[in-house]
Amino acid sequence: MTTSNKITGDNNRVIIFDTTLRDGEQSPGASMNLEEKLQIASLLEEMGVDVIEAGFPIASNGDFEAVNEIAKRVKNSVVAGLARAGQKDIERAAEALKPAARARIHTFISTSPLHMKYKLRMEPDDVHQAVVDSVTHARRFTDDVEWSCEDGSRTEHDFMCRCVESAIKAGARTINVPDTVGYTVPEEYAALIEMLLNRVPNIDKAILSVHCHNDLGLAVANSLAAVSAGARQVECTVNGLGERAGNAAMEEIVMALRTRNDVMPFETGIDTTMITRASKLVSAITGFAVQPNKAIVGANAFAHESGIHQDGMLKNAQTYEIMTPESVGLNKSNIVMGKHSGRNAFRTKLKELGFELGDNALNDAFNRFKDLADKKKTVFDEDIVALVDDEMTRANDHIRFVSLQVACGSKGPQTAALELTVEGAPLSATCEGNGPVDAAFNAIRALFPHEAKLQLYQVHAVTEGTDAQAKVTVRLEEQGKTVNGQSADSDTIVASVKAYIHALNKLLTKREKRAPEALSA
Ligand code: KIV
Ligand code: ZN
C-alpha cells in the first residue's frame, strides 16, 4: 500500500478524536448524566485525547449543557460539538462551545445517492450548496471547522470530490469520511482516501479524517488502512461504544499503532497507561460490560491459562505477549490489600488506581473497604475500584439504602424487608415476589411508587471466587429517557437494590431539571 501523505508532509502524528460522549452515547441505553460526562471528558483530556466530541448541542438541553460545561472545563483538548447543515444547529453548537479554549464545530450532511434521495429528499446540487453554506456559517464562529460527508463510503467519487473541494474552499480544516453503516473493507477504504488525496486539488489545506462503524467487525482494520493511506485523524470511542455494533475502539487503534510501529510508523499523543482506567470508567458509567476476550481491555486480554503458554511466559514474557500489561495501565501492584491494611495504604492504593478522594469521601470509602475486607479474604484492585465508583456516585442522593433482609429458597414465599430513607425520612416495607430480587424491587416500588420501567437487570462478578462482589446494573426508562444505576456488594441482592436506588436517584435528578416540583414519586 502506498502512503501518499500530501496532508501533513512527513508529519506522522495521528490525531485522536474521541466521540464516546456523542456517537458512543447514541447507543441505546448508554445515556450518561452531566456529572458522568464531565468525569469521562476529564479523563480523556488527561490521557491526551486531541479532540473530544462532547455532544450534539441541538439534540436536547442536556446535550447543550454537557457540551457547554465540558467546554468550560477542558483546557488542553479541542472540544467539538456536532451540528447538521442547518443554521440553527450550527448556532446552537457555537453557543454551547463559547467558553472553550479551543472549539471545533463539526458539521455534516449525507452525500450518498441513497441518503440524499430517501433521507434528505434533496438533489445533489442542493446538498452541495448546503455544504458550502454550512461550512461558511460555521467559520463565522471558529477557525476550526470539520465537515463530514455522512455515508461517505457509499458516496459517488465525483460528487465526493466536488463536495470536499468546496468544503475546504469554504474553510473546513478537517474533512471526515465516515463509513456510517460499517460497510467498507480495508482495501476499499484505503483506496477512497488515496483517491481524495490524488484528486481533490486543495486537499493539502485540510486533515483527512476517518470515522468507522463496526457492523462487519472491521472498524479498527478500516481505520488503520486509512491511516496508512494518508488519513491523519481517527474518530473512535472508548471500548468501541457507539451506534449499533459501535465505533472503532480507541484502545485498539492506539495500541495497534504503538505495537506495530514497524509497519505503521505513526504516533498518537495518548498516554496508553490510562487505557484501562478509561475503559473501566466508561463501562461503569454506561453499564456496558466489556467482553472478557475483548482486545486490550478484556479481563482475559493478558491472562495466560494454558500450561504451554504459562511455561513460555515464565521463560520469556515475549513468547506470548506482544505488549506488556503495564503499557495499558494494568499494574502488577506491590500493595496487597486486606483487613489489616491501614488508611495510608488505602490512600496509596487509590492513588495507584487513579482515584484522588477528598477527606470525607476517603473516610467513607475506607470504612466500606474495612467492611468488605471483613467479609472477603482477598480484596482485589477490582473490588476497590467497584467500591470507590459506588462511593463517588452517591453524594447527592434523595433516596438512600439503609438495610435489607431477604427470605428465599425453594420453599417460598420469597420476601424482602427493606429500609430506606427518602429525603432523610425513614421508611420500611416487606414485600413478596417471584424470587428475592423481584421481592426486593417490589419493596422499593412500595416505598417509593413510580412508573419507570425496568429495561435491564444485569449481574457480573467483579472478581473470581464465591465471595466475589456482584456488580449489578439496573436500567430504568421514564418518558423515553433511560438511566443506568450500578452498585457492587458481596451480597447480590443488596447490590441489586442499591443499583436500583442509584438509577432512581438519577431519574429524580433528571426530573428536577425538567420541573423542580416533580420530585415526589
Ligand atoms: O457515522 C456517522 O456518519 C457519524 C457522522 C455524524 C460523523 O456519526
Ligand atoms: Zn458515527
Side-chain angles (χ1 to χ4, degrees):
M1 192 178 293
T2 54
T3 53
S4 52
N5 180 10
K6 283 203 280 176
I7 311 166
T8 50
D10 50 18
N11 177 5
N12 284 342
R13 173 73 154 72
V14 172
I15 295 165
I16 296 294
F17 175 117
D18 181 280
T19 182
T20 307
L21 298 173
R22 198 277 297 168
D23 219 330
E25 208 218 4
Q26 279 175 222
S27 44
S31 68
M32 309 167 204
N33 64 27
L34 177 61
E35 202 43 54
E36 293 165 340
K37 286 184 182 176
L38 286 170
Q39 252 179 285
I40 292 177
S42 140
L43 194 66
L44 293 176
E45 179 183 30
E46 200 183 331
M47 74 193 287
V49 164
D50 299 289
V51 187
I52 299 172
E53 188 164 53
F56 191 179
I58 201 149
S60 69
N61 289 341
D63 254 50
F64 179 92
E65 193 188 359
V67 175
N68 192 246
E69 279 305 317
I70 291 169
K72 282 180 198 157
R73 299 199 196 182
V74 167
K75 297 289 170 247
N76 300 322
S77 314
V78 173
V79 180
L82 187 68
R84 287 167 302 187
Q87 294 213 349
K88 270 195 190 148
D89 272 52
I90 291 167
E91 283 158 21
R92 193 81 177 133
E95 182 67 26
L97 290 167
K98 235 182 206 163
R102 298 161 71 200
R104 172 178 298 187
I105 296 178
H106 175 193
T107 182
F108 72 100
I109 191 165
S110 292
T111 49
S112 68
L114 208 65
H115 276 220
M116 289 193 290
K117 183 166 177 196
Y118 294 104
K119 187 180 112 165
L120 299 176
R121 295 180 200 279
M122 283 170 79
E123 292 300 321
D125 280 348
D126 299 325
V127 169
H128 175 261
Q129 191 55 49
V131 173
V132 175
D133 293 346
S134 57
V135 173
T136 306
H137 195 52
R139 275 300 301 260
R140 296 196 175 105
F141 304 98
T142 171
D143 288 349
D144 190 349
V145 172
E146 170 171 337
W147 178 73
S148 285
C149 42
E150 192 184 359
D151 206 17
S153 55
R154 295 192 298 174
T155 294
E156 286 173 351
H157 289 188
D158 287 352
F159 186 59
M160 186 186 283
C161 288
R162 184 178 164 214
C163 290
V164 169
E165 185 180 350
S166 298
I168 296 171
K169 218 179 263 170
R173 290 240 188 108
T174 304
I175 297 293
N176 183 39
V177 185
D179 180 29
T180 303
V181 290
Y183 179 72
T184 197
V185 296
E187 292 74 13
E188 179 185 74
Y189 200 46
L192 180 61
I193 297 300
E194 287 195 3
M195 185 280 294
L196 289 170
L197 289 169
N198 290 326
R199 287 187 50 191
V200 176
N202 55 359
I203 197 75
D204 58 328
K205 309 238 166 3
I207 299 278
L208 260 184
S209 165
V210 288
H211 175 115
C212 295
H213 281 269
N214 205 29
D215 300 66
L216 293 173
L218 292 170
V220 170
N222 289 336
S223 306
L224 293 174
V227 168
S228 289
R232 286 294 176 273
Q233 174 175 287
V234 175
E235 303 198 353
C236 47
T237 58
V238 174
N239 295 341
L241 197 69
E243 287 260 7
R244 306 182 310 278
N247 289 58
M250 188 232 275
E251 60 280 2
E252 294 179 25
I253 300 279
V254 169
M255 288 311 288
L257 291 178
R258 179 182 150 136
T259 307
R260 294 311 311 272
N261 204 255
D262 53 334
V263 288
M264 294 180 287
F266 309 105
E267 313 295 330
T268 73
I270 299 295
D271 174 357
T272 62
T273 64
M274 294 187 67
I275 281 177
T276 300
R277 239 176 94 192
S279 165
K280 287 195 166 135
L281 181 68
V282 169
S283 172
I285 284 176
T286 57
F288 279 45
V290 173
Q291 76 194 57
N293 57 332
K294 160 89 176 62
I296 319 294
V297 289
N300 293 348
F302 292 90
H304 301 273
E305 180 81 26
S306 93
I308 295 174
H309 287 209
Q310 284 178 348
D311 181 55
M313 285 289 294
L314 289 172
K315 288 173 177 150
N316 180 339
Q318 285 179 357
T319 49
Y320 287 100
E321 208 166 69
I322 59 167
M323 51 203 156
T324 63
E326 289 80 7
S327 67
V328 299
L330 269 176
N331 288 321
K332 290 197 190 88
S333 171
N334 294 326
I335 310 176
V336 179
M337 300 299 290
K339 65 177 173 185
H340 301 297
S341 307
R343 195 179 304 264
N344 230 345
F346 185 65
R347 191 198 299 269
T348 309
K349 167 61 82 182
L350 287 185
K351 228 175 177 175
E352 211 180 85
L353 295 172
F355 295 104
E356 300 251 15
L357 302 188
D359 284 346
N360 289 345
L362 181 79
N363 276 347
D364 290 347
F366 182 66
N367 290 337
R368 288 192 60 192
F369 158 72
K370 281 291 192 188
D371 288 345
L372 183 66
D374 273 341
K375 291 184 208 154
K376 214 170 169 279
K377 240 193 282 164
T378 320
V379 179
F380 297 101
D381 287 359
E382 288 88 341
D383 288 315
I384 295 174
V385 170
L387 189 144
V388 176
D389 277 347
D390 241 30
E391 207 57 55
M392 285 167 70
T393 50
R394 302 294 182 268
N396 304 311
D397 284 358
H398 299 282
I399 308 171
R400 286 175 184 269
F401 172 86
V402 178
S403 75
L404 175 73
Q405 216 46 52
V406 292
C408 62
S410 57
K411 290 210 172 124
Q414 287 87 18
T415 59
L418 179 65
E419 289 183 297
L420 303 176
T421 61
V422 177
E423 304 301 349
L427 298 173
S428 62
T430 300
C431 290
E432 289 185 6
N434 195 6
V437 176
D438 192 46
F441 286 5
N442 285 340
I444 298 175
R445 285 187 210 100
L447 294 177
F448 193 83
H450 56 274
E451 297 296 321
K453 302 243 171 341
L454 181 70
Q455 275 198 337
L456 174 86
Y457 170 67
Q458 183 176 278
V459 185
H460 286 283
V462 171
T463 59
E464 287 162 17
T466 50
D467 65 348
Q469 288 195 92
K471 176 132 198 170
V472 177
T473 303
V474 165
R475 184 173 303 147
L476 297 178
E477 185 266 334
E478 185 182 68
Q479 293 176 10
K481 301 266 178 233
T482 57
V483 287
N484 290 308
Q486 280 102 22
S487 191
D489 197 284
S490 49
D491 184 313
T492 308
I493 319 295
V494 170
S496 304
V497 167
K498 287 182 176 174
Y500 196 115
I501 292 172
H502 183 212
L504 262 186
N505 278 313
K506 283 186 171 180
L507 265 189
L508 292 181
T509 308
K510 266 194 197 289
R511 280 197 218 163
E512 263 174 53
K513 285 192 175 153
R514 284 202 299 267
E517 72 279 8
L519 190 60
S520 62

